[in-house]
Amino acid sequence: MTSNIRRGIFAMLFLVGISFLYAGCGADSNMTMETELESESEPDENDIVIGVSQVGSESDWRATNTQAYRDTFTEEKGYYLIFEDGQQKQENQVKALRKFILKGVDYIVLDPIVETGWDAVLKEAQDANIPVIIADRNVSVEDESLYTCWVGSDFMLEGRNAGEWLARYLRSRGRGNKDINIVTLQGTLGSTAQIGRTLGFAEVMEKHANWNMLEYQSGDFTQAKAYEVMEYFLETYEDIDVVISENDNMTFGAIEAIKEAGLRLSRNGDIIIISFDAVRDALLLVQKGEIAADFECNPITPPLVEEIIQKLERGEEIEKVQYVDETYFDYKMDMETLLQDRTY
Ligand code: GZL
């Protein structure tokens, strides 16, 4: 179906939707109706209509990623953005994709909360001739032709780099052969970020027989849940040497629980914390010595998604997998200078 036909359907559905709204409003809700009409602009004839299904708003990382979509796909640049927050529920994201298909958008961008459960709705998008770009987290589907490409982080590499950093750090402290007790706060189970970081770190674990993983538990990438899990870890295990926390917001919760237990952090003593994302508030804790190392996960993927869409508009070939560039930060670095140039 060409995008003009789709756009015609979009316009018709839009007007039908508005008429239902109008019919449903009593006389006294004209103000509401006017507000609705003012806020519900229609795409222009030449706009590229993009439906974005976002995971949720669970972390600082996610907030930066969402803002980057709004900064990238602007009306001034010829886009009409329909942005749906999945509120960390897969069923909300599936509903959003079906809404995009019904509206006849030109492109769908999906950041999938977990990897599985997308085959059916991606097949519906394919049948509607709507290209789907997977961004940030990835999907695991039977038929890889169901999506155009994936752009995101090499999460396995993030996990491996964290493990290798810990090995170097322990050696530098004369603890290369000492028994090391580790707990892991995992992200949302089944998400690409959690799978990759867990497996990547586990690969390095295998090279260190003196490292002992006491327990893995999910903090679902949120500060509140991680606080509870860290409290449980501290009540359950006498001697924790290292906390691997698969995102910064869980680290904030873990640090709160550790401090309440009267323990000291990272460079200053009892528990070494290794974190992922490298959001600004976490880098300030690296500077303070409370986080020993933070492995960046670049949230600025929307400009790469835009490049892909522009290539598709020109009928160019697209790489199936595109990784974003990432680095890490640790207590030895001059965070003052590094933070000056950083936008998130
Ligand atoms: C990683 C992203 C993860 C972040 C978390 O790319 O999907 O989800 O690491 C976020 O902060 O919740």
Side-chain angles (χ1 to χ4, degrees):
M1 180 169 26
T2 67
S3 52
N4 286 332
I5 295 173
R6 278 206 300 268
R7 194 150 304 124
I9 291 172
F10 179 96
M12 183 191 66
L13 287 168
F14 173 84
L15 292 172
V16 166
I18 285 292
S19 54
F20 272 123
L21 259 179
Y22 194 81
C25 293
D28 60 340
S29 64
N30 275 337
M31 266 313 286
T32 313
M33 199 51 225
E34 277 157 20
T35 311
E36 288 292 330
L37 277 175
E38 276 156 20
S39 62
E40 293 283 329
S41 66
E42 248 192 271
D44 294 339
E45 179 58 28
N46 300 319
D47 278 349
I48 299 177
V49 182
I50 298 170
V52 173
S53 170
Q54 178 62 292
V55 169
S57 48
E58 74 286 353
S59 67
D60 294 25
W61 186 98
R62 190 65 57 198
T64 302
N65 182 247
T66 291
Q67 189 52 50
Y69 277 108
R70 298 193 191 288
D71 295 345
T72 301
F73 295 109
T74 59
E75 280 181 41
E76 297 70 43
K77 290 164 70 181
Y79 297 105
Y80 184 90
L81 176 65
I82 309 172
F83 189 92
E84 295 278 346
D85 175 341
Q87 295 169 334
Q88 280 205 272
K89 287 189 173 57
Q90 181 169 29
E91 64 265 25
N92 290 345
Q93 291 199 278
V94 171
K95 271 188 215 140
L97 263 60
R98 291 201 162 117
K99 172 182 163 185
F100 298 153
I101 293 166
L102 197 61
K103 282 179 174 290
V105 299
D106 295 309
Y107 296 93
I108 288 174
V109 182
L110 168 64
D111 188 337
I113 181 164
V114 292
E115 293 201 339
T116 54
W118 304 100
D119 301 70
V121 73
L122 291 180
K123 181 72 172 67
E124 292 166 29
Q126 188 177 62
D127 292 346
N129 284 322
I130 300 176
V132 177
I133 296 161
I134 310 295
D136 174 31
R137 302 181 191 179
N138 203 350
V139 294
S140 170
V141 289
E142 285 296 309
D143 172 5
E144 299 253 315
S145 74
L146 289 177
Y147 64 94
T148 302
C149 63
W150 169 63
V151 55
S153 302
D154 186 341
F155 297 108
M156 286 278 288
L157 182 62
E158 290 175 4
R160 269 190 227 108
N161 287 343
E164 298 301 351
W165 184 93
L166 178 61
R168 292 194 303 274
Y169 178 78
L170 291 169
R171 274 197 302 275
S172 75
R173 299 278 168 135
R175 302 173 69 185
N177 297 316
K178 299 277 193 278
D179 284 346
I180 301 295
N181 291 327
I182 304 171
V183 290
T184 296
L185 288 164
Q186 292 181 296
T188 304
L189 294 180
S191 67
T192 316
Q194 176 272 309
I195 295 167
R197 289 167 186 164
T198 298
L199 292 180
F201 186 84
E203 273 183 12
V204 180
M205 276 283 294
E206 298 202 342
K207 296 190 273 185
H208 299 275
N210 55 316
W211 292 9
N212 171 31
M213 185 61 75
L214 298 172
E215 191 170 345
Y216 294 94
Q217 268 231 22
S218 176
D220 210 17
F221 284 134
T222 67
Q223 181 167 342
K225 182 85 174 96
Y227 172 81
E228 290 168 19
V229 174
M230 193 66 224
E231 270 194 322
Y232 155 75
F233 281 154
L234 291 165
E235 284 155 13
T236 309
Y237 301 104
E238 276 289 298
D239 175 21
I240 298 172
D241 299 301
V242 178
V243 175
I244 303 296
S245 172
E246 293 184 352
N247 90 321
D248 289 333
N249 290 78
M250 293 197 292
T251 302
F252 301 152
I255 287 175
E256 204 181 330
I258 290 167
K259 285 184 172 176
E260 281 175 7
L263 295 169
R264 293 169 309 157
L265 284 155
S266 292
R267 205 174 44 184
N268 317 321
D270 306 310
I271 296 185
I272 299 161
I273 291 203
I274 292 177
S275 190
F276 292 84
D277 279 353
V279 299
R280 190 169 204 82
D281 285 350
L283 295 183
L284 293 172
L285 297 179
V286 173
Q287 197 174 24
K288 274 175 78 178
E290 295 191 357
I291 297 176
D294 204 335
F295 290 80
E296 182 186 40
C297 180
N298 188 337
I300 315 297
T301 42
L304 291 175
V305 173
E306 183 188 21
E307 266 174 48
I308 290 164
I309 287 173
Q310 286 303 324
K311 281 185 176 174
L312 290 168
E313 287 286 296
R314 295 191 297 267
E316 292 175 21
E317 279 299 302
I318 301 295
E319 306 256 319
K320 195 74 178 177
V321 175
Q322 296 180 46
Y323 288 123
V324 287
D325 297 333
E326 299 176 335
T327 182
Y328 76 92
F329 303 88
D330 70 19
Y331 69 93
K332 295 193 295 292
M333 296 176 182
D334 171 10
M335 294 312 300
E336 195 81 35
T337 312
L338 285 165
L339 279 165
Q340 274 160 12
D341 313 337
R342 214 168 152 76
T343 56
Y344 55 92

